[in-house]
Amino acid sequence: MRLKPLQSALFVLMAGGAMAAAHADTVIDNANGYTLNAKGDVIQFASMAFDDNGRIIAVGSAGEVAARAPNAKHVDLQGRTVLPGLIDAHGHVFGLGAMLTQLDLSTSTSLDGALKSIADYARANPQQAWVRGRGWNQEIWKLGRFPTAKELDGAVADRPVWLERVDGHAGWANSRVLALAGITNATPDPVGGKIVRDEKGVATGVLIDAAQALVTKVLPQETEQEGRIMLDRALENMASVGLTSVHDAGITAGEDRLYRDYADHGKLTARIYAMIGGTGPDFDQLAKNGPLPSYGKDMYALAAVKLYADGALGSRGAALLAPYSDDPHSHGLLFHTNKEIDAMITKAIKKGYQVNVHAIGDAGNKQILDTFAKEIPANKALDKRHRIEHAQVVTLSDIPRFKSIGIIPSMQPTHATSDKNMAETRIGAERMKGAYAWRSFLQQGSRIACGSDFPVEAPNPFFGIHAAVTRQDKHGQPIAGWYPEQEMSLKEAFRCFTLDAAYAGHQEKTLGSLEAGKYADFIVIDRDLFKISPYDIYKIGVLETWVAGRQVYQKK
């Protein structure tokens, strides 16, 4: 990859304009720095100065920056590589915190192994009234079916056990939970959900999508203290992998209160661009005064709404126009009728919010594109940069509509490398032409906002950059890449986790690159992203993370 030479960074330095008279408090020197300019070119720099408010004064060569920053404190980075802080455009912060404080089944490779982990965890935590966890994946276990309540009873029978699938779109319950939730063989499937049953119609213990609400309504309510612990753990984890900003895809009123409290007390170590979960009572409460584009020195924003069109591919909840290739009796699940989703989107748009809708299957994506095509012109809301989250399986004729309607595809590169073991089985080779189709979106000029969907995937953004440019998992499989014609260039992947992710949150003027006037959100890493083999990108480790010129993480 050819980079702009070092002196090109002087464009960034000179772009300071009105910032020239500001006082620089800190200068980082001797950096192997990379950033993007306004055109999206990757350029290099050796030094950067920022003030005590965390705003960048100058970026460029050591001599040029030093001239702008007399009497500043200098930090010698000894030639280490510096990048803009990375942005995850789709994560679940409290979900990550929950995974870090509950049972994590994401590394289990068999049903027997998972059951042993569950039993061990229950024995080690006798004080917990419920055994809670997440991360199981029956595809990795190669079961050819979902696990059952009876199997779970064999691990823990004396307490309720509720375990969310890796994608969060299915839950596995033991018999105690089914009884508490009042789920019997006669319980009907709710709209947008499915109670998995055997050939005799017996509820087996797995609940898909909206059916999970039958259990969540009887779950013990989280305390504020538990919420704080989850948020603390998530922030620590995010800082350690170089995330300086996260778009939290669906929060509650209680989570909003915690975010504001943390912002008020300087406890947020990553910027949060939050989406209100749905247009129900929480939305009515939080939207009374309209969108909140900035709060707590730009550490928090609440200017978007998160809605759902359908479920996930792994649990066959993603809504497809034609039946699943491996289940000809199922099209998946649309969560709402056209009229219902239209009303939700209209309600959010009229209140001035960006609307970001989860859509994985081609029917889910089509439904949302059809609604946006009608509602955006009617409400003159193009400037809100509405998004489809995941845009995972899209018919070829619908891909151009993202560009023509003005919809941002918010995509997660590691979903492709995690799903490659089952995606083509689910949808067949023909539909794969519009699946995980990053190159198709980029070629038409769409700006992709990249994320991970953590805790569905690991929050490490270098895993995402690696997947984007290689279309391989961390074992180097498949050797030629999975549908390699859809891979990104390294510059494109870098942009989609920085400047384009910031753009998707209306924050490109303050975040996403290291330029004069923007925030000094940056990371120091242990190897050169632009010189190592693309196949080693996932190995990159973060040494330091800085937000607004304040170090929030240092590797021990």
Side-chain angles (χ1 to χ4, degrees):
M1 176 181 179
R2 187 176 179 183
L3 301 174
K4 297 287 183 178
L6 180 63
Q7 56 264 35
S8 294
L10 294 180
F11 170 80
V12 184
L13 174 69
M14 298 309 292
M19 298 295 297
H23 168 70
D25 180 66
T26 304
V27 172
I28 61 167
D29 280 324
N30 196 17
N32 175 40
Y34 296 93
T35 188
L36 294 155
N37 62 16
K39 297 179 181 178
D41 296 321
V42 179
I43 57 175
Q44 292 182 270
F45 65 91
S47 189
M48 178 173 67
F50 47 90
D51 63 23
D52 55 9
N53 292 314
R55 294 276 190 171
I56 297 170
I57 303 299
V59 182
S61 68
E64 297 281 351
V65 171
R68 291 284 187 99
N71 304 317
K73 174 180 70 177
H74 285 246
V75 178
D76 185 354
L77 291 184
Q78 301 178 331
R80 291 177 297 179
T81 298
V82 174
L83 302 176
L86 298 176
I87 301 171
D88 191 311
H90 186 114
H92 303 275
V93 176
F94 287 87
L96 175 62
M99 177 171 273
L100 293 169
T101 55
Q102 297 174 354
L103 172 61
D104 180 2
L105 292 172
S106 62
T107 59
S108 63
T109 57
S110 69
L111 174 60
D112 287 343
L115 292 171
K116 183 180 184 304
S117 296
I118 295 161
D120 290 346
Y121 180 87
R123 278 192 297 271
N125 295 275
Q127 78 287 356
Q128 294 183 357
W130 282 59
V131 174
R132 299 278 306 277
R134 182 171 179 151
W136 60 272
N137 186 346
Q138 84 284 357
E139 293 296 326
I140 290 175
W141 298 346
K142 302 189 185 304
L143 281 184
R145 60 172 176 84
F146 285 114
T148 67
K150 186 176 180 180
E151 288 164 331
L152 194 47
D153 292 343
V156 183
D158 62 338
R159 276 180 283 171
V161 182
W162 176 241
L163 306 166
E164 293 183 59
R165 192 180 184 275
V166 61
D167 55 17
H169 286 269
W172 177 21
N174 70 352
S175 296
R176 273 288 186 94
V177 169
L178 294 179
L180 286 169
I183 297 171
T184 69
N185 300 339
T187 304
D189 290 343
V191 175
K194 180 180 180 181
I195 299 170
V196 176
R197 307 170 200 268
D198 64 17
E199 63 280 359
K200 296 179 180 179
V202 175
T204 62
V206 169
L207 309 174
I208 296 175
D209 289 316
Q212 293 180 91
L214 299 171
V215 169
T216 55
K217 70 182 181 183
V218 300
L219 280 173
Q221 291 294 306
E222 257 166 32
T223 66
E224 181 179 314
Q225 183 58 28
E226 287 171 335
R228 289 180 182 275
I229 291 170
M230 288 190 289
L231 182 51
D232 288 341
R233 292 292 301 276
L235 290 170
E236 290 169 6
N237 188 270
M238 287 151 47
S240 73
V241 296
L243 291 175
T244 58
S245 180
V246 169
H247 299 185
D248 195 336
I251 70 162
T252 65
E255 290 163 352
D256 169 72
R257 285 193 298 272
L258 277 181
Y259 276 140
R260 294 184 196 229
D261 180 73
Y262 272 52
D264 289 340
H265 293 91
K267 294 177 65 177
L268 280 181
T269 52
R271 301 181 193 279
I272 302 296
Y273 180 81
M275 312 172 200
I276 302 170
T279 54
D282 277 356
F283 176 83
D284 294 337
Q285 176 185 335
L286 295 171
K288 286 178 180 177
N289 298 316
L292 181 72
S294 176
Y295 183 86
K297 298 180 180 178
D298 292 331
M299 291 302 298
Y300 181 58
L302 187 65
V305 170
K306 166 75 179 301
L307 303 175
Y308 284 87
D310 63 353
L313 205 60
S315 51
R316 295 190 187 86
L320 300 179
L321 294 168
Y324 275 82
S325 298
D326 60 349
D327 185 356
H329 302 293
S330 175
H331 285 73
L333 301 165
L334 276 176
F335 285 6
H336 308 285
T337 65
N338 293 341
K339 184 177 180 180
E340 288 168 343
I341 197 69
D342 185 19
M344 293 176 189
I345 290 175
T346 301
K347 180 178 180 178
I349 286 178
K350 285 187 173 179
K351 276 286 191 177
Y353 287 86
Q354 178 192 57
V355 181
N356 305 333
V357 189
H358 164 118
I360 287 185
D362 52 13
N365 277 279
K366 178 175 174 54
Q367 181 191 53
I368 302 310
L369 287 168
D370 288 348
T371 305
F372 275 140
K374 179 175 67 171
E375 291 303 330
I376 290 173
N379 290 284
K380 300 178 181 179
L382 183 63
D383 64 324
K384 291 299 179 184
R385 304 175 188 174
H386 303 296
R387 296 157 43 168
I388 288 183
E389 305 297 315
H390 310 307
Q392 203 160 294
V393 181
V394 185
T395 59
L396 294 178
S397 59
D398 273 341
I399 289 177
R401 298 177 71 201
F402 280 76
K403 180 66 174 174
S404 63
I405 300 170
I407 304 304
I408 293 174
S410 172
M411 307 176 81
Q412 300 75 43
T414 48
H415 278 344
T417 51
S418 292
D419 291 357
K420 63 182 173 58
N421 65 331
M422 59 84 184
E424 189 169 339
T425 302
R426 289 283 191 271
I427 64 174
E430 185 61 31
R431 284 183 286 197
M432 281 300 303
K433 294 176 182 178
Y436 313 89
W438 313 323
R439 173 58 46 205
S440 299
F441 282 105
L442 290 168
Q443 280 181 334
Q444 69 182 16
S446 291
R447 297 177 74 159
I448 297 176
C450 278
S452 66
D453 199 12
F454 66 71
V456 175
E457 305 282 354
N460 191 325
F462 292 107
F463 294 178
I465 295 174
H466 169 264
V469 301
T470 67
R471 302 281 293 201
Q472 292 181 339
D473 60 27
K474 294 192 287 291
H475 302 292
Q477 295 299 317
I479 292 174
W482 190 61
Y483 291 89
E485 66 276 8
Q486 292 291 348
E487 70 187 19
M488 296 186 196
S489 70
L490 179 55
K491 183 174 82 170
E492 289 165 342
F494 183 49
R495 271 193 62 131
C496 82
F497 277 99
T498 53
L499 203 55
D500 289 347
Y503 176 84
H506 296 270
Q507 296 172 323
E508 75 278 8
K509 292 182 179 179
T510 55
L511 307 178
S513 61
L514 299 174
E515 300 178 78
K518 291 190 174 185
Y519 280 109
D521 293 2
F522 63 95
I523 59 175
V524 184
I525 57 177
D526 64 0
R527 60 197 79 190
D528 191 327
L529 171 65
F530 293 95
K531 290 183 179 176
I532 64 172
S533 165
Y535 305 103
D536 289 332
I537 289 173
Y538 74 91
K539 298 177 183 177
I540 290 174
V542 175
L543 303 174
E544 299 176 15
T545 301
W546 296 62
V547 176
R550 178 171 68 97
Q551 189 180 86
V552 298
Y553 170 78
Q554 182 171 29
K555 185 177 180 180
K556 296 180 181 178

